[in-house]
Amino acid sequence: MKIYNTLTKQKEEFVPLEEGKVRMYVCGPTVYNFIHIGNARPMIVFDTVRRYFMYKGFEVNYVSNFTDVDDKIIKKAIEEGVDASEISTRYIEECKKDMEGMNVLPATVHPLATEEIGGMLAMIRTLIEKGYAYQAQDGTVYFRTRKFGEYGKLSHKNLDDLQAGHREIKVTGDEKEDELDFVLWKPKKDGEPYWESPWCNGRPGWHIECSVMSKKYLGEQIDIHAGGEDLIFPHHENEIAQSEACNGKEFAKYWMHNAFLNIDNKKMSKSLGNFFTVREISEKYDLQVLRFFMLSAHYRSPLNFSADLMEASRNGLERILTGIGRLKDLEEKAEGSSLAAEEEELSEKVKELVAKYEAAMDDDFNTADAISAIFELVKFANTSVDESSTKALVSETKHAIETLCDVLGIITEKKEELLDAEIEELIAKRKQARKDRNFALADEIRDTLASRGILLEDTREGVKWKRA
Ligand SMILES: [Zn+2]
């Protein structure tokens, strides 16, 4: 199995630190709003990486944090006049709902930065003791970047180039010994959440959070550290500096980064009006379609989101689900628990396509080619498996497609979940039925909705609904 390692800029054979186990850390979102579809890409991509390791028999310890203390969270809390923790708790819950919709497995652990402050204080203390960090007059603690000789090894930048461009990477505070130094701990401002520390009442810098949470839940050395490519510098570069300076060991063996997601060939931004949350997408599409779309390109290729491409993904997914549905019907009627002689070759073809899929995934998780192999399998099933086939062949083919879809996190059971628009439509129908005094129909619609997990509430302002 080969993985492209950002650290070495090449594909490398995956050798785990511990036989049969994978220790993996994926940087999670800062929770100040609904997640956007740019956040969704690493979630889906690395969930698929995790699932493929599981398929190959690895035990995966998968840790992904929530950054729940941050300027943006504090800003939102001030706007709403509530505690920062209320904002982060709310959007962690919403994020988990979106993850469920995208069929992203919950991490083994989802640590919260605010619950790991003790570990951060300990790591900062060690870095100061070892001479890698220092306290400025106002209580800010900085990392002494030039002291870590390998700084720049992940982003392949050299210190002097960085120094020349220091304006871009400058962080708050004027008391730094060197422009390249970055914040480990900073003093609180009025109205901000804070923790006591030996240096000042304040809060951690962003980078130290991940170094600490990774160490606590996965140990000083891990197999894979992953995230979006925008995190390579400075976030991951700084994590390496902190962790390796503190622990005296190589932090992560493989660094994986997914490429950007563009919208209609433009960078996603609020000002361009092409900014979508996952929740907004879920009102138009089943999130399975979003997942399928995200995996239709290799994770290191930039991906362009457009209505046309989503439509193509919806059709592609539908073709697979219809193929599986047909095999299910055939399976119910078919007989013969072993292959007929003339089916041996067909069975070989199934195995060949499964091997093709695995070869694609073994080559740095090439989900685009893996999906092509699934399409080939579906096409094979549609043309070579029919009423005359034995149950053995039908089941083998169906099982192969289902398993390979499952590794990609694609749910092959036809989803019965209703879209918001469909629910609104049914509610309108029910309203009309009541107007027509057709209470039997009104009740029937209510029951139908209830059976699909939609609860109705008649209020003075009209009917409100929610998902159970
Ligand atoms: Zn991180």
Side-chain angles (χ1 to χ4, degrees):
M1 214 170 152
K2 285 196 156 55
I3 296 182
Y4 181 89
N5 190 351
T6 307
L7 200 57
T8 56
K9 287 174 131 177
Q10 55 193 3
K11 285 184 196 169
E12 292 174 19
E13 189 61 34
F14 178 72
V15 183
L17 288 163
E18 196 180 335
E19 186 73 34
K21 293 191 176 168
V22 181
R23 286 178 237 166
M24 186 166 178
Y25 187 96
V26 182
C27 291
T30 301
V31 279
Y32 65 99
N33 208 333
F34 287 98
I35 57 164
H36 56 72
I37 56 174
N39 301 127
R41 191 171 189 194
M43 286 180 184
I44 290 170
V45 161
F46 298 117
D47 178 64
T48 305
V49 168
R50 176 191 192 183
R51 286 168 183 267
Y52 190 61
F53 275 119
M54 287 157 60
Y55 170 74
K56 295 281 245 182
F58 286 92
E59 189 186 306
V60 188
N61 192 349
Y62 188 97
V63 176
S64 188
N65 66 296
F66 286 115
T67 293
D68 62 343
V69 57
D70 176 88
D71 290 342
K72 287 174 179 159
I73 299 173
I74 293 167
K75 184 169 169 259
K76 179 105 171 176
I78 292 168
E79 279 167 17
E80 290 193 17
V82 298
D83 269 6
S85 63
E86 193 174 324
I87 299 292
S88 56
T89 306
R90 181 196 308 160
Y91 290 112
I92 287 170
E93 284 316 305
E94 298 298 350
C95 177
K96 285 182 175 173
K97 281 184 210 162
D98 288 335
M99 284 170 63
E100 199 186 329
M102 297 186 293
N103 201 24
V104 169
L105 297 170
T108 316
V109 190
H110 279 292
L112 304 182
T114 55
E115 291 177 0
E116 308 293 344
I117 302 291
M120 297 176 206
L121 298 178
M123 188 176 276
I124 295 170
R125 206 174 294 129
T126 304
L127 289 170
I128 293 176
E129 279 163 17
K130 289 189 166 186
Y132 284 104
Y134 59 93
Q135 179 185 354
Q137 287 243 301
D138 66 350
T140 306
V141 182
Y142 292 102
F143 187 88
R144 194 170 268 134
T145 300
R146 280 184 184 275
K147 169 125 173 123
F148 182 69
E150 292 179 276
Y151 193 83
K153 68 177 172 179
L154 180 72
S155 51
H156 308 282
K157 292 176 191 286
N158 85 46
L159 286 176
D160 295 325
D161 291 347
L162 285 174
Q163 188 85 63
H166 68 78
R167 277 173 202 287
E168 288 156 48
I169 61 157
K170 193 172 172 181
V171 272
T172 53
D174 296 309
E175 301 176 71
K176 286 194 279 184
E177 293 175 0
D178 189 288
E179 287 294 348
L180 296 176
D181 297 350
F182 59 90
V183 171
L184 299 174
W185 186 265
K186 56 185 164 192
K188 71 169 178 118
K189 293 190 202 117
D190 273 350
E192 288 185 357
Y194 68 92
W195 291 263
E196 288 177 3
S197 84
W199 315 291
C200 63
N201 287 344
R203 60 187 167 101
W206 172 37
H207 316 301
I208 195 77
E209 298 174 8
C210 288
S211 283
V212 167
M213 292 186 269
S214 179
K215 179 176 178 172
K216 176 164 173 188
Y217 295 100
L218 296 169
E220 291 181 345
Q221 283 190 293
I222 67 172
D223 293 294
I224 299 172
H225 195 115
E229 69 180 11
D230 52 325
L231 297 184
I232 297 173
F233 186 86
H235 185 53
H236 287 165
E237 195 70 64
N238 291 355
E239 281 189 46
I240 290 177
Q242 296 161 158
S243 293
E244 298 191 358
C246 174
N247 305 326
K249 285 180 186 159
E250 187 184 33
F251 179 25
K253 282 180 73 183
Y254 305 89
W255 287 84
M256 294 180 73
H257 295 97
N258 65 277
F260 283 125
L261 180 83
N262 290 322
I263 314 283
D264 294 323
N265 294 309
K266 288 185 205 90
K267 202 177 162 191
M268 180 164 77
S269 81
K270 282 191 172 143
S271 56
L272 284 175
N274 64 354
F275 184 95
F276 297 109
T277 64
V278 169
R279 197 59 59 87
E280 285 165 335
I281 298 298
S282 77
E283 285 159 15
K284 285 189 205 137
Y285 301 93
D286 184 334
L287 289 179
Q288 285 293 295
V289 175
L290 182 67
R291 181 166 186 129
F292 192 71
F293 161 76
M294 292 276 187
L295 296 177
S296 65
H298 188 270
Y299 75 92
R300 284 190 292 115
S301 307
L303 180 57
N304 187 42
F305 180 94
S306 72
D308 285 353
L309 291 170
M310 282 294 279
E311 214 47 54
S313 291
R314 193 210 299 258
N315 293 338
L317 184 57
E318 190 61 31
R319 220 186 320 151
I320 295 171
L321 300 188
T322 305
I324 294 172
R326 180 177 165 272
L327 290 172
K328 276 184 186 157
D329 291 343
L330 287 174
E331 193 180 35
E332 271 174 32
K333 290 168 214 144
E335 283 171 15
S337 55
S338 53
L339 293 171
E342 68 276 12
E343 288 178 340
E344 295 288 347
E345 210 177 303
L346 298 176
S347 167
E348 278 310 309
K349 181 74 186 166
V350 173
K351 291 182 181 71
E352 214 175 274
L353 290 170
V354 171
K356 193 172 176 183
Y357 171 100
E358 289 180 358
M361 292 297 279
D362 282 342
D363 182 17
D364 192 32
F365 306 95
N366 192 334
T367 53
D369 286 359
I371 287 175
S372 300
I374 294 179
F375 278 132
E376 278 187 68
L377 257 174
V378 171
K379 193 173 166 203
F380 161 84
N382 290 343
T383 51
S384 306
V385 182
D386 57 28
E387 287 79 2
S388 67
S389 306
T390 61
K391 191 167 196 148
L393 182 68
V394 177
S395 300
E396 181 184 357
T397 311
K398 185 188 89 151
H399 180 73
I401 302 173
E402 283 179 338
T403 305
L404 302 188
C405 284
D406 187 53
V407 173
L408 299 180
I410 301 297
I411 298 170
T412 53
E413 291 289 324
K414 280 227 178 188
K415 272 268 267 304
E416 294 298 324
E417 189 168 305
L418 295 169
L419 297 174
D420 288 8
E422 296 173 307
I423 296 166
E424 304 286 354
E425 202 175 305
L426 282 169
I427 289 173
K429 248 188 205 167
R430 177 170 170 265
K431 192 175 164 192
Q432 187 58 45
R434 294 175 96 189
K435 230 186 216 168
D436 303 341
R437 305 194 68 75
N438 184 349
F439 297 112
L441 177 62
D443 287 348
E444 193 188 311
I445 293 171
R446 182 185 202 107
D447 292 347
T448 305
L449 285 166
S451 73
R452 313 284 280 273
I454 308 300
L455 301 178
L456 300 184
E457 194 194 342
D458 293 304
T459 72
R460 230 180 290 171
E461 294 85 46
V463 179
K464 288 193 175 150
W465 63 271
K466 62 178 182 190
R467 293 182 196 273

